[in-house]
């Protein structure tokens, strides 16, 4: 188990190195950050050259790359081109907002997807199944920013039940959390429905029923638990989409998270801040993937993570 | 099994409670109001003690330090936190700020008498040392990375004469210096406080001498201000101000319609009419310094021919573009500056829309059927629509336009400087000094970044003339000749001056929409 985790962490480090190289080169294809910083001030050529020197952008690309990797190895993500502050604390400061929103989205999606998915499977072809499938289809077809603005118009502008945007307490979380959760729940609903249908056809379910167990016990103890394994893998993979979804919704709901920070940094060509944000989000993804793999053992005792005798 | 189920439920409950606490933990609630509007205000009870503003420009990139920034998002709020030696308010006239008077004692020395009895928000006294520190910081190693520095390079150093007198020693004549001292980089900062807390802390907890002080700041969310009771000038009438950063148009308008914000910056064009017809709101339009032009790379055929450039100017119906695409929220211009800019010639008329004349000129130049590339920002809906309109106007007179929507940063930082932006590009310009000098020098002299090919000795000569003197009459004359010369040579077709559209609740009083986006909030009140 220990060596498995070590191997996976090493693997994760390589993934992060590859990502950092891709981000480094991709950013340098996007244009001159000096003009993005000074452009509004209508600067002279001398001022632009001086700024380029002070940001180290006059160095050859390979020197910039080695400096970046060297700093990274020391855990230093660099200093923002815009406000001259270290990048790491700026990102760490934003993480709670993003994780809160992603957590709320996940919570809402499971709250909706698990019952709807199970009912759709158990009452296959029935009214509730059709309703569940239509719900899932709508969710998949809706862009999240559109759903967000619609929910805002209904619950904030028309009904005045909730604040439209901002970050000041629980009620401010409801609309963005609901938007993110509903979109994600539609995909998870479909997955739970199909895996439940597979499991319900399995022989051990017939055995359980033949033993005279109640339908509730058959569904929840035997069927649902087994249906959860592919669902957990899928949800783990969807966390990437969840964090991606927060980028847009943070903008729509004026939510001060890492996504919005990264988005601003991209349009400002603030290279260190973009590199830092991408690397931190990628690190979160690597860790989540590891946790998902480890959770299989918890869900199904027959699976021994990293072992030979599964 | 049952126990495990309970455990999972418990984990879910803890997760949810963390979500809730995480969300409510990082708040920036303003300090509780004590007594409504300031007691000196007659009828104070009739007003709310909090004013909420929705900013379209977003966060000023995480720093309130005047030398870190050039974004208008900064000036919009920070003009209430800091003061300069001189002040340019919403009437755009220069008046005394932290200096009470100033004069040139010789060609290269500008002397300022400073206001006495002024204190920074932390109680630190304002005096000559504060001014010397501010400019040593901007012009010394600290200011090396400052996007502000290039505006103040005519200053050699600032010398303290006595506690309330300073001399600005200049390297060269700078006729726009006084205006620049009302700009962001000229805002006076507290030496003792910055030395004590350091730059990083000053970025997020700024201290100035302005009518409002910062009490809380959540990046990318909001900044909370409180009236500074010891302000030297007109004291703020509303005790608390919250400026929320809401860059998304749909969200900002939703917040405005729910009454969550009292003043809204940038009403989307599509919403202007519906707000104007609702008595709960007021819509205020104001012409700003920003202008837009269709610029040419005069080295490329067929726009290397003057007739073709003139034909393009006659072929475009700019007024219709303003009335339809821009919803009437812009004004025509005859040179690349707004009507409030020093150097604008009000007697010079914009090009008339005359497609027949345009067709004629194109035929004479032998350019019928020529293909032209037009580059513009892909991020601006208005630019895209204006690009399409220009293409159809030019098609009607015999020119084929290929539309090239590109990333705005790539356009301004790579394509234009490298002469890769085709024959024509749509170009917006800030013009914040409200003096044509900056615009004309950077856009029409040879070798400047955004001027890949235009070079006219007469234009250069006129620019040298206006730059070399502080005599504003001589400068005005030079600008009149310059705008006429640019009309003859046509490095661009000046299109329109932008207008900012602000929305306020009908209960808001005392708000003047700022032409340069630098709000002044001292006299603003919100009725209950």
């Amino acid at each position: 188990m220990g060596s498995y985790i070590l191997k996976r962490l090493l693997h994760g480090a390589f993934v992060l190195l590859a990502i950092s190289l891709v981000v480094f080169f991709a950013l340098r294809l996007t244009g001159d950050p000096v003009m993005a910083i000074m452009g509004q001030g209508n600067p002279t050529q001398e001022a632009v050259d001086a700024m380029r020197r002070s940001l180290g952008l006059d160095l050859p690309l390979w020197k910039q790359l080695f400096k970046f990797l060297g700093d990274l190895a020391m855990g230093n993500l660099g200093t923002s081109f815009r406000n001259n502050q270290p990048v790491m604390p700026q990102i760490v400061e934003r993480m709670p907002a993003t994780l809160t929103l992603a957590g709320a989205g996940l919570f809402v999606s499971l709250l909706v997807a698990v019952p709807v998915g199970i009912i759709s499977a158990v009452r296959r072809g029935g009214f509730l199944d059709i309703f569940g499938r239509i719900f899932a289809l709508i969710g998949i077809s809706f862009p999240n920013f559109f759903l967000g603005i619609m929910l805002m118009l209904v619950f904030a502008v028309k009904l005045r039940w909730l604040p439209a945007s901002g970050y000041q307490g629980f009620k401010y979380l409801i609309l963005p959390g609901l938007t993110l959760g509903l979109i994600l729940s539609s995909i998870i609903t479909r997955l739970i429905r199909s895996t439940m249908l597979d499991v319900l056809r399995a022989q051990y379910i017939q055995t359980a029923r033949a033993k005279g167990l109640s339908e509730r016990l058959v569904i929840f103890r035997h069927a649902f638990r087994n249906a959860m394994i592919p669902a957990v893998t899928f949800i783990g993979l969807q966390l990437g989409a969840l964090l991606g979804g927060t980028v847009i919704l943070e903008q729509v709901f004026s939510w001060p998270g890492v996504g919005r920070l990264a988005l601003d940094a991209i349009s400002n060509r603030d290279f260190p801040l973009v590199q830092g944000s991408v690397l931190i989000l990628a690190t979160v993804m690597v860790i989540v993937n590891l946790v998902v793999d480890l959770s299989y053992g918890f869900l199904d005792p027959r699976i021994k993570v990293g072992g030979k005798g599964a | 099994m049952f126990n495990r189920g309970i455990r999972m439920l418990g984990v879910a409950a803890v997760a949810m409670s963390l979500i809730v606490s995480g969300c409510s933990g990082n708040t920036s609630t303003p300090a509780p109001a004590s007594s409504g509007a300031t007691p000196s205000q007659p009828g104070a009870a009739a007003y709310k003690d909090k004013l909420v503003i929705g900013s379209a420009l977003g966060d000023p990139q995480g720093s309130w330090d005047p030398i870190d920034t050039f974004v208008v998002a900064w000036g919009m709020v920070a003009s209430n936190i800091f003061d300069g030696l001189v002040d340019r308010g919403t009437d755009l006239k220069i008046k005394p700020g932290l200096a009470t008077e100033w004069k040139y004692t010789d060609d290269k020395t500008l002397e300022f008498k400073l206001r006495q009895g002024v204190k920074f928000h932390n109680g630190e006294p304002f005096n000559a040392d504060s001014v010397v520190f501010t400019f040593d910081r901007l012009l010394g190693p600290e200011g090396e990375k400052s996007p502000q520095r290039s505006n103040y390079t005519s200053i050699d150093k600032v010398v303290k004469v006595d506690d309330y007198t300073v001399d600005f020693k200049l390297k060269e004549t700078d006729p726009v210096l006084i205006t620049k001292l009302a700009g962001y980089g000229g805002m006076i900062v507290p030496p003792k406080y910055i030395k004590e807390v350091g730059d990083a802390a000053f970025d997020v907890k700024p201290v100035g001498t302005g009518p409002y002080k910062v009490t809380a700041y959540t990046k990318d969310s909001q900044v909370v201000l409180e009236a500074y009771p010891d302000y030297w000038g007109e004291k703020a009438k509303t005790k608390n101000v919250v400026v929320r950063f809401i860059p998304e148009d749909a969200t900002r308008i939703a917040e405005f319609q729910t009454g969550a914000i009292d003043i809204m910056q940038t009403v989307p064009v599509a919403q202007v009419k519906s707000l104007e017809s609702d008595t709960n709101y007021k819509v205020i339009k104001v012409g700003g310094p920003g202008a837009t032009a269709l610029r040419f790379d005069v080295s490329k055929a067929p726009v290397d021919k003057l007739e073709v450039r003139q034909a393009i100017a006659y072929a475009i119906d700019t007024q219709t573009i303003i009335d339809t695409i821009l919803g009437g929220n812009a004004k025509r211009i005859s040179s690349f500056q707004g009507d409030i800019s020093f150097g604008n010639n009000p007697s010079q008329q914009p090009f008339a829309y005359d497609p027949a004349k345009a067709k004629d000129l194109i035929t004479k130049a032998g350019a019928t059927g020529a293909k032209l590339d037009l580059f513009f920002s892909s991020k601006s809906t208005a630019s895209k629509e204006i690009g399409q309109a220009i293409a159809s106007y030019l098609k009607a007179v015999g020119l084929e336009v290929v539309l090239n929507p590109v990333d705005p940063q790539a356009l301004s930082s790579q394509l234009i400087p490298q002469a890769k932006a085709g024959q024509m590009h749509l170009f917006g310009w800030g013009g914040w000094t409200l003096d044509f000098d900056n615009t004309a020098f950077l856009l029409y002299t040879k070798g400047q970044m955004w001027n890949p090919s235009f070079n006219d000795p007469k234009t250069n000569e006129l620019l040298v003339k206006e730059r070399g003197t502080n005599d504003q009459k001589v400068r005005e004359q030079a600008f009149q000749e310059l705008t006429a010369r640019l009309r003859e040579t046509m490095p661009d077709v000046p299109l329109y001056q932008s207008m900012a559209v602000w929305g306020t609740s009908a209960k808001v009083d005392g708000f003047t929409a700022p032409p340069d986006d630098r709000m002044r909030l001292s006299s603003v009140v919100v009725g209950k």
Side-chain angles (χ1 to χ4, degrees):
Chain A
M1 183 75 164
S3 69
Y4 173 76
I5 294 177
L6 200 69
K7 214 166 100 187
R8 287 293 307 266
L9 285 176
L10 210 63
H11 178 245
F14 276 110
V15 169
L16 292 178
L17 178 68
I19 290 173
S20 55
L21 288 175
V22 170
V23 177
F24 179 88
F25 287 111
L27 273 175
R28 275 146 186 87
L29 291 173
T30 61
D32 188 353
V34 174
M35 288 320 302
I37 295 166
M38 304 187 79
Q40 287 191 48
N42 313 338
T44 57
Q45 186 65 54
E46 297 87 63
V48 169
D49 293 342
M51 174 71 95
R52 187 165 289 126
R53 270 195 305 279
S54 75
L55 296 177
L57 291 165
D58 57 331
L59 297 173
L61 198 59
W62 65 270
K63 276 193 183 169
Q64 290 184 41
L65 176 66
F66 276 98
K67 188 177 177 310
F68 165 62
L69 292 177
D71 285 350
L72 200 62
M74 307 291 286
N76 177 7
L77 291 175
T79 307
S80 159
F81 283 174
R82 286 295 178 135
N83 55 30
N84 296 323
Q85 291 165 16
V87 159
M88 183 72 108
Q90 294 190 59
I91 300 168
V92 170
E93 187 180 77
R94 301 294 190 90
M95 281 311 278
T98 294
L99 294 179
T100 301
L101 182 52
L106 188 62
F107 182 82
V108 170
S109 67
L110 292 179
L111 205 66
V112 175
V114 170
V116 175
I118 292 174
I119 292 169
S120 271
V122 175
R123 303 257 184 274
R124 189 183 178 192
F127 170 74
L128 285 172
D129 182 28
I130 293 167
F131 174 79
R133 279 156 64 190
I134 291 173
F135 164 78
L137 192 67
I138 291 173
I140 289 168
S141 322
F142 254 63
N144 59 7
F145 65 89
F146 182 68
L147 178 65
I149 290 170
M150 288 298 116
L151 290 177
M152 192 189 290
L153 286 178
V154 173
F155 293 102
V157 179
K158 291 288 169 211
L159 300 172
R160 310 261 168 132
W161 289 352
L162 293 165
S165 71
Y167 178 62
Q168 291 174 61
F170 178 66
K171 64 181 179 177
Y172 289 80
L173 176 63
I174 298 175
L175 283 183
L178 207 59
T179 310
L180 196 60
L182 286 178
I183 297 284
L184 187 64
S185 70
S186 56
I187 308 167
I188 301 179
T189 302
R190 283 169 76 115
L191 185 88
I192 290 183
R193 178 180 177 273
S194 64
T195 50
M196 275 295 283
L197 283 174
D198 283 348
V199 172
L200 285 172
R201 278 194 289 265
Q203 286 185 346
Y204 59 82
I205 296 293
Q206 289 174 21
T207 311
R209 282 190 177 129
K211 279 197 300 187
L213 291 180
S214 73
E215 191 62 14
R216 179 181 291 187
L217 255 149
V218 171
I219 289 167
F220 287 99
R221 186 181 290 181
H222 294 270
F224 178 63
R225 191 140 179 245
N226 284 297
M228 275 305 279
I229 294 174
V232 165
T233 311
F234 182 76
I235 292 164
L237 293 174
Q238 282 301 312
L239 283 179
L242 199 67
L243 288 174
T246 62
V247 174
I248 306 291
L249 291 182
E250 281 174 10
Q251 187 74 5
V252 171
F253 289 100
S254 298
W255 193 262
V258 182
R260 202 160 160 214
L261 183 76
L263 210 64
D264 287 347
I266 290 167
S267 60
N268 292 333
R269 303 288 193 273
D270 193 340
F271 291 177
L273 201 50
V274 180
Q275 286 162 183
S277 308
V278 172
L279 275 174
I280 299 246
L281 288 177
T283 308
V284 171
M285 274 305 292
V286 166
I287 293 170
V288 164
N289 273 317
L290 181 61
V291 171
V292 166
D293 285 355
L294 295 177
S295 72
Y296 294 157
F298 175 72
L299 287 165
D300 185 347
R302 289 173 306 173
I303 300 173
K304 193 176 166 195
V305 177
K308 293 184 180 84
Chain B
M1 180 66 79
F2 178 75
N3 284 345
R4 194 177 281 173
I6 292 289
R7 210 164 63 214
M8 286 176 80
L9 271 177
V11 169
V14 170
M16 198 56 206
S17 69
L18 279 176
I19 288 167
V20 173
S21 63
C23 188
S24 54
N26 192 0
T27 60
S28 59
T29 317
S34 55
S35 59
T38 44
S40 61
Q41 170 64 28
Y47 298 118
K48 286 187 190 171
D49 65 358
K50 189 166 96 173
L51 165 70
V52 186
I53 296 162
S55 159
L57 296 167
D59 189 280
Q61 296 162 354
S63 172
W64 293 102
D65 187 336
I67 70 169
D68 277 347
T69 191
F70 226 118
V71 292
V72 182
W74 183 91
M76 178 175 167
V77 179
S79 302
N80 298 281
I81 303 166
F82 295 99
D83 293 310
L85 293 178
V86 295
D87 181 40
R88 191 177 77 180
T90 47
D91 60 358
L92 301 175
K93 292 199 173 98
I94 296 287
K95 52 184 180 291
L98 289 175
T100 50
E101 54 188 286
W102 54 91
K103 64 169 189 252
Y104 277 94
T105 52
D106 61 56
D107 266 6
K108 300 278 169 67
T109 309
L110 180 58
E111 185 186 85
F112 285 93
K113 292 280 179 201
L114 305 181
R115 197 174 289 280
Q116 300 194 17
V118 175
K119 280 184 179 165
F120 286 97
H121 301 150
N122 62 336
E124 191 178 333
F126 159 78
N127 52 32
D129 293 327
S130 331
V131 182
V132 172
F133 174 81
T134 298
F135 287 92
D136 279 355
R137 188 167 176 258
L138 175 63
L139 302 169
E142 173 74 33
E144 245 167 39
K145 285 187 185 173
S146 169
Q148 282 296 322
R149 180 140 129 174
S150 63
N151 285 318
Y152 300 89
T153 45
S154 62
I155 304 168
D156 183 25
K157 59 183 171 184
V158 178
V159 180
K160 174 181 173 179
V161 177
D162 60 46
D163 273 356
Y164 292 100
T165 311
V166 288
D167 277 351
F168 278 62
K169 301 284 184 189
L170 308 182
K171 287 184 219 161
E172 61 204 8
T173 309
D174 183 352
V176 198
L177 181 62
I178 297 286
T179 305
K180 288 175 182 171
L181 290 176
Y184 301 179
M187 296 293 112
I188 306 299
V189 295
K192 197 165 150 251
Y193 177 73
I194 293 181
K195 281 174 197 157
E196 261 171 33
V197 302
D199 282 322
F202 181 66
D203 286 350
V204 291
K205 287 180 192 156
V207 160
T209 56
Y212 279 98
K213 57 183 180 181
V214 174
T215 57
Y217 167 45
T218 311
K219 284 179 193 168
D220 260 343
S221 178
Q222 63 179 23
V223 59
V224 183
L225 310 176
E226 189 186 294
Y228 176 43
D230 296 327
Y231 182 57
W232 58 269
E234 183 199 1
K235 290 186 176 42
K237 287 178 178 161
T238 301
K239 186 174 163 62
N240 302 296
V241 172
V242 181
V243 181
R244 293 181 51 195
F245 311 125
I246 315 175
E248 197 62 35
D249 280 351
T251 312
R252 206 167 57 258
I253 194 98
E255 292 281 21
F256 188 53
Q257 287 175 329
T258 60
I261 54 180
D262 305 302
I263 297 177
M264 170 186 181
Q265 185 188 34
T266 315
V267 177
V269 172
Q271 302 285 341
V272 171
K273 282 215 167 84
S274 81
L275 289 186
E276 276 175 336
S277 61
D278 189 331
T279 52
N280 291 314
Y281 307 107
K282 288 186 271 192
V283 175
I284 313 167
K285 296 177 187 179
V286 62
T292 299
L294 179 67
R295 306 251 305 147
F296 298 113
D297 183 344
V298 296
S299 65
K300 294 195 171 109
V303 297
D304 54 342
K305 290 184 181 155
L306 180 63
E307 294 92 338
V308 177
R309 303 203 292 273
Q310 285 171 333
I312 290 170
Y314 284 118
I316 300 169
D317 186 356
T318 310
Q319 192 56 50
T320 300
I321 288 175
I322 291 173
D323 293 341
T324 53
I325 298 171
L326 300 172
N329 301 312
K331 283 189 221 169
R332 292 206 66 184
I333 49 174
S334 63
S335 58
F336 201 177
Q337 59 189 324
D339 55 3
I340 45 177
S341 162
F342 181 78
N344 182 50
N345 181 358
S347 60
Q348 183 168 300
Q349 291 302 307
F351 279 91
Y353 172 51
D354 191 344
K357 196 168 178 178
K359 223 171 190 170
D360 231 28
L361 283 163
I362 287 168
T363 314
K364 274 184 197 154
T368 309
K371 262 194 179 166
L372 295 97
D373 275 305
L374 172 60
F375 281 69
F376 50 90
S377 161
S378 58
K379 281 195 181 163
S380 154
T381 313
S383 286
K384 280 188 241 177
E385 292 178 4
I386 292 168
Q388 286 162 3
I390 288 174
S392 72
Y393 283 129
L394 296 190
K395 193 176 171 66
V397 298
L399 294 174
E400 288 294 324
V401 174
V402 181
L403 297 173
N404 296 275
V406 288
D407 176 69
Q409 292 294 356
L411 181 64
S412 67
S413 63
Q414 287 175 312
L415 299 173
I416 300 171
Q418 293 167 13
K420 288 179 181 165
Q423 285 91 347
M424 312 184 284
H425 59 269
L426 277 174
F427 197 62
W429 189 254
W432 71 276
T433 56
L434 297 177
D435 187 298
F436 197 42
D437 168 75
N438 197 30
T439 310
F441 184 77
L442 294 172
L443 296 184
Y444 305 124
T445 49
K446 196 186 170 193
Q448 287 298 329
M449 183 175 303
W450 290 303
N451 175 29
S453 54
F454 180 75
N455 185 20
D456 173 44
K458 173 86 177 153
T459 300
N460 297 343
E461 191 186 302
L462 287 165
L463 278 166
V464 169
K465 192 173 165 189
E466 69 81 16
R467 292 207 131 194
T469 176
N470 287 321
D471 185 335
Q472 301 299 343
K473 281 209 174 111
V474 174
R475 297 187 67 231
E476 192 164 14
Q477 181 57 37
F479 280 140
Q480 303 268 316
E481 285 178 47
L482 179 63
T483 47
R485 179 67 187 166
L486 291 169
R487 175 64 166 250
E488 285 164 25
T489 51
M490 293 206 57
D492 48 33
V493 183
L495 295 174
Y496 60 86
Q497 166 189 4
S498 323
M499 283 173 80
V501 186
W502 292 74
T504 76
S505 144
K507 290 177 183 166
V508 169
D509 219 357
F511 177 73
T512 306
D516 55 357
D517 284 321
R518 294 175 74 174
M519 297 184 301
R520 302 304 171 121
L521 299 170
S522 293
S523 49
V524 184
V525 287
V526 192
K528 277 184 178 163

